[in-house]
């Protein structure tokens, strides 16, 4: 019995000696594999967005009031299709409508006053033309009579001169001579009277013409004043119509209401308040906001990316393949905007629609783990130096 027990004891001792060697071999092998991975195999480095969402390629249009007002009616229903120009919210415009009615009545009153005045101006203008023609005829007639009287006066004067010659020859009596001289003077006086009549007719004609022209000018001034008032009222009407139209909040484009505010009759909305948004039909894309130090100089158009949707675990539903379309060059609110196109159909279990949130991952480079460790160490040193400098 002693011999077998001795051999068993030696076997146990040999087995204990082999176990450290096996552990050492395994440890060396693992270290070698880890070193090979650490120094030879590259890993992907991703830039991860702070925010991302699925959006329609055509920009959504907000529904916003241009003025403050009290809600009279609202047809904002989530996911309802609306046509461009359709009234979505009506604000109270009763006071403006009353003022508009008063302005329209005022315009009608001015128009009613303008009609008779314009007709009176036309009548007086025609009367002035008729007066001009009559005056010219009267003046022509007076001048003709004056010329006739001058002829008679000249004839009478020549007869008196001839009678005076005959009287010297005792061929005509003194009475006949006196009669001829008197007739000549009478004809001359008549001619002078007709000449004065020509001037009087001309003066009366000018006076009447001036009176009619003054009346026409007065009527014209009144008409122009009324027309100016009417123009002012029409401008005021147009402004009131514009103000009333501003109180009808319309759909800017055709599409579905993607978001709405809860409005009830009597609610007061402020100018520029977001009451909803109209989502037009179109191709879906993904927009993401990245920190500037993550995206600038590292994310470029054409790079592959993927979207992990919030609420849909990627291990169960998968990810959505993307391709970078454009990268913003300006920082806004501390973020840089990146637009990505959907490269595939996406997971069939996920209903693709506008507004789905998530996170975008873009592969920006492939590095060795050793490079990543050195880069992290360098950043830690930079922060340490920056902290030391700040403390000093």
């Amino acid at each position: 019995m002693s011999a077998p027990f001795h051999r068993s004891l030696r076997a146990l001792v040999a087995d204990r000696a082999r176990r450290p060697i096996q552990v050492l071999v395994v440890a060396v092998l693992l270290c070698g594999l880890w070193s090979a991975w650490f120094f030879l195999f590259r890993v992907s480095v991703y830039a991860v967005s702070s925010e991302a969402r699925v959006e329609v390629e055509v920009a959504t249009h907000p529904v916003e009031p241009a003025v403050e007002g009290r809600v009279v009616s609202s047809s904002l229903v989530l996911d309802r299709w609306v046509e461009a120009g359709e009234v979505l919210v009506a604000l109270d415009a009763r006071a403006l409508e009353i003022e508009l009615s008063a302005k329209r009545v005022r315009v009608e009153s001015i128009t009613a006053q303008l009609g008779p005045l314009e007709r009176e101006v036309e009548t007086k203008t025609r009367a002035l033309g008729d007066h001009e023609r009559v005056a010219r005829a009267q003046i022509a007639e007076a001048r003709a009579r004056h010329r006739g009287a001058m002829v008679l006066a000249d004839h009478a004067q020549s007869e008196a001169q001839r009678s005076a010659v005959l009287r010297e020859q005792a061929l005509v009596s003194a009475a006949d001579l006196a009669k001829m001289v008197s007739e000549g003077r009478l004809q001359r006086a008549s001619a002078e009277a007709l000449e004065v009549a020509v001037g009087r007719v001309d003066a009366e004609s000018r006076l009447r013409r001036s009176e009619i022209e003054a009346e026409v000018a007065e009527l014209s001034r009144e008409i122009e004043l009324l027309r100016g008032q009417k123009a002012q009222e029409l401008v005021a009407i147009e402004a009131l119509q514009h103000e009333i139209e501003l109180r009808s909040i319309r759909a800017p484009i055709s599409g579905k209401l993607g978001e709405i505010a809860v409005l009830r009759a009597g609610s007061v909305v402020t100018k520029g308040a977001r009451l909803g948004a109209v989502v037009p039909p179109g191709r879906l894309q993904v927009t993401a906001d990245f920190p500037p130090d993550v995206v600038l100089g590292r994310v470029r158009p054409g790079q592959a990316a993927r979207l992990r949707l919030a609420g849909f675990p990627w291990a169960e539903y998968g990810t959505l393949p993307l391709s970078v379309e454009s990268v913003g060059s300006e920082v806004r609110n501390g973020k840089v905007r990146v637009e990505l196109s959907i490269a595939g159909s996406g997971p069939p279990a996920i209903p693709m629609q506008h507004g789905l949130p998530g996170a975008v991952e873009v592969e920006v480079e492939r590095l060795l783990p050793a490079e990543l460790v050195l880069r992290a160490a360098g950043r830690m040193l930079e922060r340490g130096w920056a902290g030391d400098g700040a403390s000093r």
Side-chain angles (χ1 to χ4, degrees):
M1 293 293 297
S2 60
F5 178 77
H6 182 70
R7 287 195 295 269
S8 299
L9 184 61
R10 284 189 296 177
L12 289 173
V13 172
D15 185 58
R16 290 193 193 98
R18 284 196 299 269
R19 284 183 181 175
I21 296 175
Q22 292 174 353
V23 172
L24 181 60
V25 170
V26 171
V28 171
L29 181 61
L30 290 177
C31 288
L33 292 175
W34 182 84
S35 299
W37 171 81
F38 191 75
F39 291 103
L40 299 178
F41 293 92
R42 296 181 179 273
V43 295
S44 297
V45 178
Y46 292 92
V48 181
S49 67
S50 55
E51 295 179 3
R53 63 183 305 211
V54 178
E55 294 182 351
V56 176
E57 188 176 23
V58 181
T60 59
H61 289 252
V63 178
E64 300 174 348
V67 294
E68 181 179 351
R70 188 176 300 276
V71 176
V72 176
S73 63
S74 172
S75 60
L76 293 175
V77 178
L78 191 63
D79 206 36
R80 183 174 73 87
W81 179 268
V82 296
E83 297 293 339
E86 178 181 343
V87 177
L88 302 179
V89 180
L91 303 181
D92 185 17
R94 180 60 181 166
L96 295 174
E97 290 173 350
I98 293 174
E99 186 177 357
L100 177 63
S101 298
K103 295 290 184 183
R104 285 173 173 168
V105 170
R106 173 63 176 159
V107 168
E108 292 176 358
S109 174
I110 293 175
T111 303
Q113 296 177 54
L114 281 173
L117 290 175
E118 290 172 347
R119 288 192 293 272
E120 187 174 357
V121 168
E122 293 177 358
T123 300
K124 288 188 176 296
T125 302
R126 288 195 299 268
L128 181 60
D130 295 340
H131 170 73
E132 291 288 344
R133 288 189 291 272
V134 171
R136 285 195 296 270
Q138 290 176 346
I139 292 173
E141 180 182 3
R143 286 175 177 170
R145 290 177 179 177
H146 173 255
R147 287 194 298 272
M150 288 296 295
V151 171
L152 293 176
D154 292 340
H155 177 70
Q157 185 177 2
S158 63
E159 286 294 327
Q161 291 175 353
R162 189 167 57 253
S163 296
V165 173
L166 294 176
R167 174 65 184 137
E168 292 175 356
Q169 298 176 2
L171 297 176
V172 175
S173 63
D176 290 338
L177 177 60
K179 181 179 179 181
M180 296 299 294
V181 171
S182 298
E183 288 180 358
R185 290 175 179 174
L186 181 60
Q187 292 294 335
R188 179 63 61 183
S190 298
E192 292 175 355
L194 289 174
E195 184 179 6
V196 172
V198 171
R200 178 178 56 80
V201 171
D202 188 24
E204 290 177 351
S205 174
R206 288 197 300 270
L207 177 61
R208 181 55 183 162
R209 182 173 65 250
S210 300
E211 291 175 351
I212 296 176
E213 288 176 348
E215 293 174 359
V216 171
E218 182 64 26
L219 290 172
S220 298
R221 282 192 295 271
E222 189 173 353
I223 288 173
E224 290 302 321
L225 179 62
L226 290 175
R227 285 176 177 172
Q229 294 175 358
K230 181 178 180 180
Q232 291 177 354
E233 297 296 334
L234 290 175
V235 171
I237 286 174
E238 187 175 355
L240 286 172
Q241 289 174 337
H242 177 66
E243 287 294 327
I244 293 173
E245 178 61 25
L246 290 179
R247 282 156 177 77
S248 295
I249 305 173
R250 302 178 181 273
I253 58 171
S254 298
K256 288 186 176 182
L257 290 172
E259 58 178 280
I260 61 170
V262 179
L263 295 178
R264 295 179 177 86
S267 302
V268 176
V269 297
T270 58
K271 178 181 178 181
R274 192 179 180 92
L275 305 182
V278 180
V279 181
R283 188 169 65 93
L284 295 176
Q285 66 173 9
V286 176
T287 60
D289 293 330
F290 287 83
D293 58 337
V294 171
V295 67
L296 292 178
R298 307 183 70 190
V299 176
R300 296 175 297 277
Q303 286 180 318
R306 61 188 179 187
L307 172 67
R308 295 185 180 185
L309 292 169
F312 297 90
W314 67 271
E316 178 182 355
Y317 292 92
T319 59
L320 186 65
L322 306 174
S323 177
V324 178
E325 287 286 334
S326 61
V327 181
S329 58
E330 294 293 332
V331 179
R332 183 177 182 182
N333 298 327
K335 304 294 181 182
V336 175
R337 181 183 176 92
V338 177
E339 295 182 352
L340 308 98
S341 61
I342 300 175
S345 59
I350 299 178
M352 297 301 298
Q353 62 183 29
H354 173 84
L356 287 175
V360 170
E361 299 176 352
V362 182
E363 183 179 348
V364 293
E365 56 186 336
R366 294 181 63 83
L367 297 176
L368 295 174
E371 293 175 330
L372 290 175
V373 171
L374 291 174
R375 183 178 294 179
R379 289 175 180 172
M380 292 178 61
L381 291 175
E382 288 179 358
R383 286 196 293 269
W385 291 338
D388 293 341
S391 62
R392 289 196 294 270

